[in-house]
Amino acid sequence: LESIIYFENDHYTSRLIENTGDVLYYDGIYNEGSLTYNGNINTRNVHLEYRGEKQATMLFYTLADES
């Protein structure tokens, strides 16, 4: 899983998942467009289906580099 897009009220936000499992939140309107640390997917303390009231609408996957 590479990233998740959330949508509500004509506004998109996203979460990016790094190779380390760190989850970063992005909202172009808030936080001056900076990424915000949102937990680690490996600790299972991050619920990805929702971000606040916004439900996940798109998931992006990439193939892992095996080299």
Side-chain angles (χ1 to χ4, degrees), residues 21-64:
D22 286 344
V23 178
L24 304 173
Y25 178 68
Y26 177 79
D27 185 328
I29 294 177
Y30 301 102
N31 300 325
E32 298 177 355
S34 298
L35 294 170
T36 309
Y37 179 76
N38 209 199
N40 188 289
I41 198 169
N42 298 316
T43 61
R44 293 184 169 80
N45 67 347
V46 179
H47 302 284
L48 300 175
E49 186 178 350
Y50 286 90
R51 171 71 169 121
E53 303 259 331
K54 296 177 179 168
Q55 185 173 15
T57 56
M58 280 189 268
L59 306 173
F60 290 90
Y61 292 87
T62 59
L63 294 174

